Amino acid sequence: MDSGQGDHNLRVLVIDDNHSIHEDFRKILQPGTETQALDDARASLFGGEPLLKALLRFEVDYVGQGQAALPMVQTARQQGRPYAVAFVDMRMPPGWDGLETIARIWEVDPEIQTVICTAYTDHSWDDIIHRLGYDDRLLILQKPFSTIEVSQLATSLTTKWNLARQARQRLEAAEAANIAKSQFLANISHELRTPMNGILGMSELLLQQPVSDKQRQYITTLHQSGMALLQVIDDILDFSKIEAGRLTLDCSPFDMRQLVGEVMALFSHPAASKGLHLTAALPETVLPEYEGDAVRIRQILTNLLGNAVKFTLRGQVALQVSIVEETISRTTICFTVRDTGIGIEPDVQAKLFMPFTQADGSTTRRYGGTGLGLAIVKQLTQMMGGTVGVESVLGYGSTFRCTIGLNHSSARTVLAQAV
């Protein structure tokens, strides 16, 4: 940015139909050699440092009407050399007044800092706010103004403009880096998944071969470790896809009772090995068929039940399916997973659904996991028009609830409408 003084934008626009005012601003913001000589003479006669040495020299453009100022502001922004500050006269007959000028300028440059210059009380502050809205880009300067007032305003407002621009640039850079990170994670996770599937496939084939008990134990350990690693890879892949906006939901018919039964079967052995009582309950009002993304619903239940089994040392884990709301074409389902596990501290509960978050570092070391499971659950439920939450008492267990919206099958919807 060519801004008049290094990387600091010192571009100022003066909009006033009085050309003597232009000259006043020129003397203050663009002191010439004659003005400098007078200031030096004053300093030599009365002592002290010359005043103008402490003041910035601005790059100032001048225009007599708001209609003429608008294309200048627009062009400056298009060229990448925007004005940081505009001093705008209130009365500029017969054209736009100061308020209309400012409103038009803000439409093409919402960043510009603006000072209304007026010798009259044409409009109250309430009137100005009513027309322009409350905005920290707007100040009022009463005429006649002093050199110090104009210089301080120009200096402080250009500084404010530059700080705001730097903050936006840092935010944009951070967002770009975050998108790049998500895309990298999605790509690298996909690349890791392909050879991992090959390892798992070969280990499954080896388990089908006649091998010794010791060899079978080794291959089984290899296969289980591969499955655990694949779950970590899948979590990273899914989360990075969600962050990058590349994850989409399918909408196909599926059987809710069958889906719940398959998920419960997946955890029957892990729960039994810990002596846990694992149960599921579905109301009779659950339809035989819904339309939705069965794969992602299975992922939600797998994460919730997997955590419950993982963090429960004794007692039970229970899944309750209930209907929250039902219309002719759509049903809102609630999944409630209760456990008698270790529980979660109150100050940790609010952070549970944030990515890469677990109760504490010791939880990760003791129980494993990426800390992405619940973040994925939250994102998926939101994509399905639902919510997720938790209630927990440390040492007594936790209850996770999530809702999702599902469509009824097309045939059933048509039949219901006909009835």
Side-chain angles (χ1 to χ4, degrees):
M1 179 190 299
D2 183 6
S3 54
Q5 188 164 333
D7 294 331
H8 192 72
N9 185 0
L10 297 176
R11 296 203 74 197
V12 174
L13 179 63
V14 175
I15 309 170
D16 198 304
D17 61 340
N18 187 340
H19 289 279
S20 65
I21 295 294
H22 295 187
E23 187 60 31
D24 291 339
F25 274 99
R26 183 176 289 109
K27 290 177 181 178
I28 298 169
L29 301 180
Q30 296 178 297
T33 55
E34 182 180 341
T35 306
Q36 185 70 58
L38 289 174
D39 188 52
D40 289 341
R42 181 207 60 78
S44 62
L45 286 172
F46 300 103
E49 289 292 322
L51 293 176
L52 294 177
K53 287 185 178 180
L55 304 180
L56 294 172
R57 182 176 176 83
F58 295 86
E59 180 183 346
V60 188
D61 290 325
Y62 306 89
V63 66
Q65 294 289 335
Q67 292 94 323
L70 183 61
M72 293 178 65
V73 173
Q74 195 165 19
T75 300
R77 190 168 176 86
Q78 290 172 348
Q79 293 177 345
R81 302 182 65 249
Y83 293 103
V85 181
F87 289 89
V88 185
D89 187 23
M90 181 64 82
R91 292 185 177 185
M92 295 178 287
W96 300 339
D97 68 359
L99 297 187
E100 185 170 0
T101 299
I102 293 169
R104 298 290 187 97
I105 286 176
W106 280 357
E107 288 177 358
V108 299
D109 188 348
E111 300 177 26
I112 192 168
Q113 301 292 314
T114 311
V115 181
I116 297 176
C117 303
T118 179
Y120 309 97
T121 56
D122 303 78
H123 300 280
S124 68
W125 182 244
D126 289 340
D127 291 337
I128 294 173
I129 295 302
H130 179 71
R131 288 186 60 177
L132 297 178
Y134 180 80
D135 202 289
D136 64 356
R137 295 170 296 174
L138 184 64
L139 292 173
I140 294 179
L141 178 62
Q142 193 78 26
K143 293 181 180 178
F145 44 74
S146 71
T147 298
I148 295 300
E149 285 178 319
V150 172
S151 179
Q152 287 182 334
L153 278 174
T155 301
S156 61
L157 291 180
T158 54
T159 300
K160 178 184 175 185
W161 187 98
N162 282 281
L163 289 174
R165 172 60 67 92
Q166 292 168 12
R168 279 190 294 273
Q169 290 173 342
R170 285 194 292 268
L171 179 60
E172 290 169 1
E175 290 174 346
N178 192 49
I179 292 172
K181 177 208 70 176
S182 297
Q183 292 174 341
F184 170 78
L185 287 175
N187 292 334
I188 196 65
S189 298
H190 178 76
E191 295 299 323
L192 289 171
R193 180 191 255 176
T194 301
M196 198 68 247
N197 284 331
I199 293 171
L200 291 173
M202 291 298 103
S203 63
E204 288 175 356
L205 289 176
L206 284 174
L207 286 171
Q208 298 172 15
Q209 304 301 315
V211 294
S212 67
D213 290 342
K214 195 166 204 177
Q215 289 172 328
R216 184 169 299 278
Q217 181 181 353
Y218 292 158
I219 298 170
T220 299
T221 301
L222 171 66
H223 185 75
Q224 291 174 343
S225 299
M227 290 295 294
L229 179 56
L230 184 61
Q231 182 60 56
V232 172
I233 294 171
D234 285 344
D235 281 350
I236 297 173
L237 179 60
D238 286 338
F239 183 75
S240 58
K241 278 184 177 179
I242 292 171
E243 276 203 324
R246 291 165 51 185
L247 189 143
T248 57
L249 296 179
D250 185 25
C251 189
S252 303
F254 72 96
D255 186 328
M256 177 65 76
R257 293 183 182 275
Q258 180 182 343
L259 186 151
V260 170
E262 291 171 353
V263 174
M264 296 301 290
L266 181 66
F267 291 101
S268 60
H269 178 69
S273 66
K274 299 176 72 173
L276 303 178
H277 186 49
L278 182 65
T279 62
L282 290 83
E284 294 182 358
T285 50
V286 169
L287 299 178
E289 186 175 87
Y290 292 99
E291 289 186 354
D293 195 326
V295 172
R296 297 304 176 183
I297 295 171
R298 182 181 287 106
Q299 186 175 9
I300 289 171
L301 292 178
T302 299
N303 270 303
L304 294 178
L305 285 168
N307 279 344
V309 171
K310 181 194 296 185
F311 296 115
T312 302
L313 304 179
R314 62 184 65 85
Q316 64 178 357
V317 173
L319 168 64
Q320 174 73 48
V321 182
S322 57
I323 295 177
V324 177
E325 185 179 7
E326 190 161 23
T327 64
I328 292 176
S329 60
R330 192 168 175 83
T331 295
T332 300
I333 297 283
C334 178
F335 298 114
T336 303
V337 176
R338 293 185 176 90
D339 66 60
T340 56
I342 61 176
I344 307 161
E345 294 181 359
D347 60 338
V348 176
Q349 293 177 27
K351 300 184 291 185
L352 272 184
F353 299 99
M354 297 171 61
F356 309 105
T357 300
Q358 290 186 331
D360 54 43
S362 63
T363 303
T364 304
R365 290 191 297 271
R366 183 174 179 183
Y367 296 98
T370 60
L372 288 174
L374 292 178
I376 293 172
V377 168
K378 179 180 179 180
Q379 296 291 339
L380 291 177
T381 55
Q382 288 179 342
M383 291 175 70
M384 296 182 191
T387 59
V388 62
V390 61
E391 299 171 4
S392 183
V393 178
L394 190 63
Y396 290 90
S398 303
T399 299
F400 284 84
R401 290 186 180 87
C402 76
T403 59
I404 60 171
L406 297 173
N407 296 327
H408 295 172
S409 64
S410 301
R412 182 180 179 88
T413 300
V414 171
L415 180 61
Q417 290 173 338
V419 172

